[in-house]
Amino acid sequence: MNILTQDIKYLQGVGPQRATLLANELQITTVGDLLSYYPYKYIDRSRIYKISEIDGNMPYVQVCGQIFSFESIGEGRAKRLVAHFADGTGTIDLVWFQGIKYVLKNYDCRKSYVVFGKPTVFNGKIQIAHPEIEKAPENIKTLASTTGNLFDAPSQNPNLHESELDEQPTVFKGLCPSYNTSEKMKKSGLTSAGMAKLTANIFKLLKQHPLPETLPQYIIAQHHLMPYDEAIRNIHYPSSPEALRHAQLRLKFEELFYVQLNILRYVKNRQLRYHGIMFGNIGETFNGFFYNHLPFQLTEAQKRVIKEIRTDMKSGRQMNRLLQGDVGSGKTLVALMVALIAIDNGHQACIMAPTEILAEQHLATLRQFLGDLPVQVELLTGTVKGKKRTAVLEGLVTGDIHILVGTHAVIEDNVLFHKLGLVVIDEQHRFGVAQRAKLWMKNAVPPHVLVMTATPIPRTLAMTLYGDLDVSVIDELPPGRKPIRTVHMFDAHRQRIYELMHRELSLGRQIYIVYPLIKETEKMDLKDLEAGFEEISRAFPTYKVGKVHGKMKAADKDQEMQRFANHETHILVSTTVIEVGVNVPNASIMIIENAERFGLSQLHQLRGRVGRGADQSYCVLVTKYEIGETTRKRIQIMVDSTDGFEIAEHDLKLRGPGDLEGTQQSGMAFDLKIANLARDGQILTLARDAAKAVIDSDPDERNPQNDILWRHLRELRKSNINWGAIS
Ligand code: ADP
Ligand code: MG
């Protein structure tokens, strides 16, 4: 019987009520689940400090001494119990705001206790609020008031590796695990310490039973990894800091390895299962455009990327490529030229955008680029209805329409193509893997897929989230663009901001002002926007001010955007609906209010709305005066850099991958339990290479050495819904 799959309910200390809590709060239902709920930090309890050594800046400390008196202070809500605590080197106060009765009943003056907690300074005196407190072990009781360092850490963490856990005084526990738990759990005693008891109970059961290995021996040997059993024990109860590091490395490697194995296996199967449509010809359409209609020279990067895509499309394999290119790098043109290759080879192309505005803009852009070339481009969005819609659907089936531009309306089941050969998805992060896959089904042989994103994704993240895609990068902007000048200003600088605005407006330029909107439904945010709109209208009476936000009807929104694009309005006050893709080259200032509330990549996207013409453009990041250190750093990064990739890397480091835009929706998102994509890039590379070696050397999954690995992967896929989603 495998203990790991046992219901957590039956573990000593759990029972039905806590089992429900663990399942609801942390999705822990088995003993194995609990073992892979890793501590988020460790507290060094190997050392007892002298009170004289303690100051208010220290993290958690442990002291040993006696309570010499209790004192009740304050009234009502401020009422608290203070215990004056001394160890012969000094005194501190232990303070309780709740559970006062319990404390008075259970702890006595003149007895020795080990006290653990975070020291703070209050009224010039050091105190520990709500400390963990337990009786000092016999052998040190008499020493409690001496000053020597008698309680130094034993070199081993003994609680796991020998003796009975319950009887081991915490004072000797060395590195102690801290587990995140919810408020609900804490109320039921499942605090960090409560969780630690449970994991300790598991290890009591496991004493004589090593946990089964989850990686093949040869991989363990090759990468000098700690065995699984040892790693799991040490991740919860490290025998030393060194052992903890090895355990972390092993578990991170394993986690990333299986993620990569899952992705790469999927890629291999996809290649075996599907052949790609061969686009061998470059014909009239492409050449006609390239030689007669292209209004400017392609940048070197655009040329390179088009070549990479062409090579894919004539390889006989189905293309699945991610095209990354900073805002304004000219991805639309690449999409068009690639679509023309599909047309030259007797196929249709479909270009999908995340919003109506963008889809319409693409339509207009493509038609303008194409001029009088005989290429039929049509639009399909939610607002295309009735006769028009019927005509479009018909044109797709007959093949009269060559390029369809649309929103996610194009994935609907009743949208059928004559011969769909290429799908371009613009602004990838709004679409998931499942949606991508749906588009494949629109043709007998799956079409080539090009996913374009202007949100530069750091390499580590791309390898994990989009590990199934090949990557092309446009790393060059069209010539003649002046880098946008970015400044940080406080609310109080309003006058200077207005001066800049007046100057640009008088030169005939236009201005965006963006307000944050966390959720489109939040009234507060709209109020900010309305107030901003009023204020700007008053301050710039001779100019026309427009307003767009997500609560407006799509048609009204479009109209307002159109008015700005046509230069009928001069200032556009808006929420982030203008974030992606919108192209008004005459706009030269982007003002972002409450800039601290945006992610860096989002700020970069917004900033990319200006600087599209040849004139100097500006981005003004407005914050209040009091901002935290991290915010200041983030804003500074924006001021210093216009490189989207650099910004994305910083964003990943500062915020962690979970918050990065797109990770939730990517469809391949999953919770990493221990690895951190921002910090563990090197381990990720190793893990990906190792996984690739397995796939390459054992494509039929026949090598008995790898049995363990396929079996474990199957289990992971069962327990992680997102993994299954990319079968
Ligand atoms: P993005 O990559 O952000 O989607 P766009 O495709 O909207 O960028 O291109 C931004 C602007 O640059 C458009 O006005 C486009 O016509 C122009 N552009 C694209 N390629 C070139 C080029 N090679 N030379 C000059 N301008 C270009
Ligand atoms: Mg674009």
Side-chain angles (χ1 to χ4, degrees):
M1 171 81 193
N2 184 353
I3 176 171
L4 293 182
T5 56
Q6 258 171 40
D7 193 329
I8 195 72
K9 189 161 55 179
Y10 304 113
L11 180 71
Q12 189 195 335
V14 181
Q17 197 209 341
R18 284 183 170 183
T20 310
L21 259 180
L22 286 169
N24 290 346
E25 301 290 294
L26 300 173
Q27 284 81 48
I28 292 173
T29 59
T30 65
V31 168
D33 291 342
L34 184 56
L35 277 186
S36 50
Y37 189 66
Y38 305 128
Y40 71 100
K41 68 171 183 189
Y42 301 84
I43 292 167
D44 187 357
R45 301 194 67 168
S46 60
R47 173 154 184 221
I48 296 215
Y49 285 85
K50 296 180 229 168
I51 288 178
S52 61
E53 291 176 296
I54 292 175
D55 65 55
N57 297 321
M58 291 170 118
Y60 291 82
V61 296
Q62 186 163 236
V63 292
C64 183
Q66 298 184 341
I67 297 172
F68 62 84
S69 67
F70 284 106
E71 188 182 352
S72 240
I73 299 177
E75 287 296 325
R77 291 192 52 150
K79 188 173 160 167
R80 58 197 189 271
L81 177 70
V82 174
H84 303 287
F85 188 84
D87 72 347
T89 73
T91 65
I92 53 170
D93 286 346
L94 311 179
V95 185
W96 291 268
F97 297 91
Q98 281 140 30
I100 292 176
K101 267 193 205 140
Y102 177 89
V103 174
L104 288 172
K105 192 162 152 232
N106 285 281
Y107 304 114
D108 301 319
C109 291
R110 302 290 153 208
K111 279 198 182 143
S112 293
Y113 294 102
V114 173
V115 163
F116 174 79
K118 164 92 187 81
T120 52
V121 177
F122 182 73
N123 279 347
K125 192 149 197 295
I126 292 176
Q127 66 173 36
I128 298 180
H130 288 265
E132 276 180 39
I133 176 163
E134 61 184 77
K135 252 201 275 184
E138 284 298 316
N139 54 337
I140 63 169
K141 192 189 279 182
T142 54
L143 304 172
S145 58
T146 66
T147 55
N149 217 343
L150 292 162
F151 315 111
D152 271 351
S155 59
Q156 288 284 307
N157 191 335
N159 48 0
L160 240 196
H161 306 270
E162 294 144 31
S163 66
E164 287 302 308
L165 285 150
D166 288 349
E167 280 137 42
Q168 230 357 278
T170 309
V171 59
F172 284 134
K173 274 187 180 162
L175 290 174
C176 283
S178 290
Y179 301 91
N180 268 320
T181 71
S182 68
E183 282 311 310
K184 271 193 193 152
M185 291 172 66
K186 288 191 178 97
K187 279 197 190 119
S188 285
L190 289 177
T191 56
S192 173
M195 293 289 279
K197 276 211 184 98
L198 298 186
T199 49
N201 285 343
I202 299 178
F203 288 118
K204 253 201 273 178
L205 290 174
L206 283 176
K207 215 172 192 181
Q208 307 301 337
H209 306 282
L211 291 163
E213 186 47 64
T214 49
L215 284 173
Q217 276 310 321
Y218 76 93
I219 291 183
I220 294 180
Q222 214 167 29
H223 296 276
H224 310 288
L225 300 173
M226 189 182 249
Y228 183 70
D229 179 68
E230 206 181 326
I232 283 291
R233 289 171 200 263
N234 275 286
I235 203 74
H236 290 282
Y237 296 97
S239 61
S240 68
E242 188 63 33
L244 175 61
R245 267 196 302 281
H246 278 288
Q248 285 169 330
L249 177 67
R250 148 77 204 219
L251 294 171
K252 285 176 179 184
F253 178 91
E254 170 172 343
E255 182 167 51
L256 296 169
F257 173 82
Y258 276 107
V259 169
Q260 291 302 322
L261 191 69
N262 191 41
I263 296 173
L264 294 172
R265 185 171 169 271
Y266 162 77
V267 171
K268 184 203 69 187
N269 286 339
R270 184 173 65 195
Q271 283 170 4
L272 288 179
R273 212 176 319 159
Y274 303 112
H275 293 281
I277 311 163
M278 283 273 230
F279 286 166
N281 303 328
I282 292 289
E284 260 170 51
T285 324
F286 184 93
N287 285 331
F289 177 76
F290 186 71
Y291 292 109
N292 305 323
H293 288 76
L294 192 59
F296 32 62
Q297 287 252 307
L298 293 176
T299 63
E300 288 307 310
Q302 282 171 321
K303 282 188 212 161
R304 189 188 62 239
V305 162
I306 291 172
K307 213 181 269 171
E308 284 168 358
I309 295 169
R310 255 205 77 198
T311 308
D312 267 5
M313 295 199 308
K314 62 177 183 190
S315 71
R317 287 189 299 130
Q318 184 213 9
M319 172 174 77
N320 278 280
R321 191 168 276 279
L322 178 68
L323 173 57
Q324 298 195 356
D326 216 336
V327 275
S329 60
K331 295 185 293 295
T332 318
L333 183 58
V334 170
L336 172 62
M337 294 185 67
V338 173
L340 297 182
I341 298 178
I343 295 167
D344 271 339
N345 288 272
H347 281 76
Q348 294 160 294
C350 172
I351 301 180
M352 250 167 105
T355 64
E356 305 236 343
I357 297 175
L358 269 180
E360 281 168 31
Q361 196 162 43
H362 276 330
L363 177 79
T365 308
L366 296 193
R367 282 187 173 160
Q368 197 186 347
F369 269 134
L370 289 165
D372 57 3
L373 275 175
V375 175
Q376 191 69 23
V377 190
E378 291 297 336
L379 179 77
L380 188 68
T381 67
T383 51
V384 178
K385 293 209 173 91
K387 270 200 198 128
K388 181 73 200 158
R389 189 178 191 86
T390 315
V392 170
L393 293 179
E394 223 172 79
L396 288 173
V397 174
T398 57
D400 290 343
I401 296 176
H402 301 106
I403 301 178
L404 180 69
V405 180
T407 53
H408 47 262
V410 305
I411 24 182
E412 281 166 26
D413 289 335
N414 64 354
V415 181
L416 300 170
F417 291 81
H418 171 58
K419 264 177 145 184
L420 181 62
L422 169 74
V423 171
V424 179
I425 303 176
D426 196 10
E427 308 302 349
Q428 145 76 2
H429 56 280
R430 312 267 165 125
F431 289 106
V433 171
Q435 282 168 309
R436 264 195 264 152
K438 225 172 158 187
L439 278 161
W440 294 16
M441 301 308 150
K442 296 211 176 278
N443 205 54
V445 181
H448 296 294
V449 177
L450 181 69
V451 168
M452 307 199 296
T453 176
T455 309
I457 305 158
R459 224 173 71 85
T460 49
L461 202 58
M463 263 161 72
T464 316
L465 293 176
Y466 311 111
D468 66 319
L469 304 177
D470 297 310
V471 179
S472 289
V473 181
I474 306 186
D475 50 6
E476 180 188 358
L477 293 180
R481 301 243 177 97
K482 286 209 179 83
I484 301 160
R485 206 172 290 162
T486 303
V487 289
H488 176 199
M489 287 190 175
F490 299 117
D491 284 327
H493 292 154
R494 202 59 59 184
Q495 270 321 312
R496 274 170 55 200
I497 299 175
Y498 283 179
E499 279 161 29
L500 176 67
M501 290 170 69
H502 270 297
R503 197 187 73 198
E504 290 296 303
L505 286 167
S506 68
L507 292 172
R509 303 281 105 79
Q510 288 161 280
I511 297 172
Y512 292 104
I513 303 180
V514 177
Y515 285 85
L517 198 54
I518 304 299
K519 285 202 195 86
E520 295 277 307
T521 48
E522 274 185 30
K523 283 208 193 96
M524 268 293 290
D525 293 319
L526 273 187
K527 238 171 67 191
D528 281 358
L529 178 116
E530 295 291 352
F533 174 77
E534 297 288 320
E535 193 188 317
I536 292 294
S537 304
R538 264 197 312 273
F540 296 87
T542 53
Y543 293 98
K544 289 227 168 59
V545 187
K547 174 173 71 177
V548 242
H549 56 78
K551 287 213 126 174
M552 289 163 68
K553 284 209 197 87
D556 297 341
K557 218 160 41 180
D558 280 6
Q559 208 174 21
E560 205 50 64
M561 288 302 306
Q562 216 53 57
R563 276 158 52 78
F564 188 67
N566 298 341
H567 209 158
E568 288 164 42
T569 46
H570 307 97
I571 304 174
L572 186 64
V573 179
S574 107
T575 58
T576 49
V577 292
I578 59 146
E579 182 185 340
V580 275
V582 179
N583 194 20
V584 181
N586 189 50
S588 67
I589 305 185
M590 166 62 67
I591 296 172
I592 304 176
E593 298 284 348
N594 295 104
E596 72 278 5
R597 284 171 61 181
F598 293 88
L600 287 189
S601 292
Q602 208 181 6
L603 288 176
H604 182 65
Q605 289 291 306
L606 286 168
R607 179 168 62 182
R609 297 308 107 218
V610 295
R612 309 196 135 230
D615 300 294
Q616 178 64 58
S617 291
Y618 304 86
C619 174
V620 183
L621 304 173
V622 187
T623 71
K624 54 186 187 313
Y625 186 70
E626 312 83 16
I627 47 173
E629 184 54 29
T630 316
T631 306
R632 196 180 313 277
K633 264 194 210 146
R634 280 157 30 87
I635 301 281
Q636 196 56 41
I637 290 165
M638 291 305 298
V639 171
D640 291 343
S641 176
T642 51
D643 178 339
F645 279 93
E646 194 183 321
I647 290 168
E649 290 283 352
H650 282 298
D651 209 14
L652 183 60
K653 293 224 167 79
L654 284 174
R655 300 205 299 166
D659 287 337
L660 272 196
E661 213 173 328
T663 53
Q664 279 86 13
Q665 302 102 308
S666 74
M668 229 182 269
F670 43 83
D671 293 321
L672 290 174
K673 292 198 167 86
I674 186 163
N676 176 319
L677 294 177
R679 271 183 256 123
D680 299 326
Q682 277 182 324
I683 305 177
L684 175 60
T685 308
L686 284 179
R688 183 167 172 101
D689 290 348
K692 190 151 189 325
V694 169
I695 299 277
D696 289 346
S697 66
D698 187 16
D700 305 327
E701 304 178 12
R702 294 252 175 87
N703 181 351
Q705 280 194 318
N706 289 333
D707 280 353
I708 184 174
L709 195 154
W710 306 121
R711 205 176 335 117
H712 193 62
L713 183 61
R714 269 198 302 279
E715 275 161 30
L716 288 172
R717 289 169 59 86
K718 254 188 275 163
S719 58
N720 189 327
I721 316 157
N722 291 319
W723 285 37
I726 64 156
S727 64

